[in-house]
Amino acid sequence: MLCILPLGGCGKKGDPTAPRAVLPAEVKSLSAHPQGKAIVVSWDIPKKNTDGSELLDLTGFKLLRSVQAFEKACKECPKRFLLLYEIDYETYMMSKPHATTIEYSDRDLSVRTIYTYSVVSSNAARQLSPHARTQEVFWDVPG
């Protein structure tokens, strides 16, 4: 016996889109200021991903720095950021369990130099957040 059933199609609902990676959201609270013989760089620990979901797999931060002598300062030129310090989130939280901010003291400084900082966070999939807005410090204090 042959049974014929009508088949319903799902219909086209739209063009297929590639899945988007869920990245940690940009660090919004980066600050840098002189303190004694150092520049203290700090930021709030992010709590969200770029899609607004809760950030549950934060693994760390990469603090980036650009260095430029006063004499060679060029506002229009792109800055060349290099990794200054990598912070493992779990290790940092073990030493400061109630921390809501990350803080780093940059002591490798030269007189008459402009230091520009940015930071990115990373998740368990090793995906990086967008770069934080930069913070600039003009260091002209004798060492």
Side-chain angles (χ1 to χ4, degrees):
M1 170 181 238
L2 182 63
C3 187
I4 300 177
L5 298 172
L7 298 175
C10 66
K12 183 177 178 182
K13 296 181 181 173
D15 292 329
T17 57
R20 300 179 92 185
V22 178
L23 309 174
E26 172 187 334
V27 171
K28 300 271 188 202
S29 55
L30 180 66
S31 70
H33 62 276
Q35 185 175 320
K37 293 185 178 188
I39 296 173
V40 176
V41 185
S42 63
W43 59 93
D44 289 340
I45 297 169
K47 301 201 182 317
K48 299 280 184 187
N49 287 306
T50 52
D51 68 351
S53 63
E54 190 175 357
L55 176 57
L56 300 173
D57 61 347
L58 180 64
T59 57
F61 301 92
K62 294 178 187 289
L63 179 59
L64 309 168
R65 180 178 78 169
S66 172
V67 179
Q68 191 173 41
F70 281 5
E71 295 77 25
K72 297 179 183 177
C74 172
K75 286 204 174 268
E76 296 79 30
C77 300
K79 298 195 182 306
R80 184 170 168 249
F81 285 94
L82 299 175
L83 180 63
L84 175 63
Y85 193 70
E86 197 158 356
I87 298 163
D88 179 79
Y89 178 65
E90 189 175 321
T91 302
Y92 189 88
M93 294 308 288
M94 285 193 319
S95 66
K96 300 177 182 185
H98 301 293
T100 58
T101 60
I102 303 288
E103 188 173 282
Y104 177 81
S105 292
D106 185 3
R107 298 180 188 285
D108 184 18
L109 306 170
S110 298
V111 176
R112 300 190 47 76
T113 304
I114 302 165
Y115 294 96
T116 307
Y117 299 91
S118 187
V119 68
V120 293
S121 57
S122 60
N123 62 17
R126 296 184 180 163
Q127 296 166 313
L128 299 177
S129 70
H131 286 250
R133 287 204 171 128
T134 59
Q135 292 293 311
E136 202 167 70
V137 175
F138 293 76
W139 188 259
D140 198 19
V141 179

